[in-house]
């Protein structure tokens, strides 16, 4: 049995922006990899307003993080 069959795939999630970032790059077995990642459950996406509030509340401004980083962080809350 292949080692991937031992995973409980309901434990794994992805974020649409991560999939988008991966799609921008060079992947091995590109179609198969993106298709497999696309089958994972997707996390909740924070709105821009939620991200702005998160940045202020956590005082994350002026830390050289971009919007994508902040959106991913805010989506984990």
């Amino acid at each position: 049995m292949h080692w991937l069959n031992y995973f409980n795939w309901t434990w794994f999630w992805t974020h649409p922006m991560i999939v988008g970032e991966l799609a921008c790059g060079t992947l091995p077995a590109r179609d198969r990899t993106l298709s497999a990642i696309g089958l994972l459950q997707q996390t909740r996406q924070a709105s821009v307003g939620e991200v702005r509030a998160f940045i202020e509340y956590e005082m994350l401004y002026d830390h050289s993080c971009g919007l994508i980083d902040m959106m991913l962080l805010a989506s984990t809350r």
Side-chain angles (χ1 to χ4, degrees):
M1 183 183 293
H2 193 275
W3 64 272
L4 287 172
N5 294 330
Y6 290 101
F7 283 106
N8 179 350
W9 289 102
T10 60
W11 295 347
F12 295 88
W13 293 67
T14 189
H15 191 282
M17 289 192 173
I18 294 295
V19 177
E21 286 287 333
L22 289 171
C24 290
T26 304
L27 298 169
R30 180 181 180 76
D31 290 336
R32 190 177 77 202
T33 301
L34 289 173
S35 292
I37 292 170
L39 294 174
L40 297 173
Q41 296 180 71
Q42 289 193 359
T43 60
R44 179 186 86 72
Q45 292 186 64
S47 70
V48 174
E50 289 173 312
V51 174
R52 289 183 60 197
F54 175 72
I55 292 167
E56 294 301 318
Y57 181 78
E58 297 292 340
M59 294 186 284
L60 295 173
Y61 40 85
D62 200 27
H63 283 47
S64 299
C65 287
L67 180 60
I68 300 296
D69 298 322
M70 294 299 183
M71 291 194 84
L72 292 171
L73 285 171
S75 293
T76 65
R77 296 181 59 121

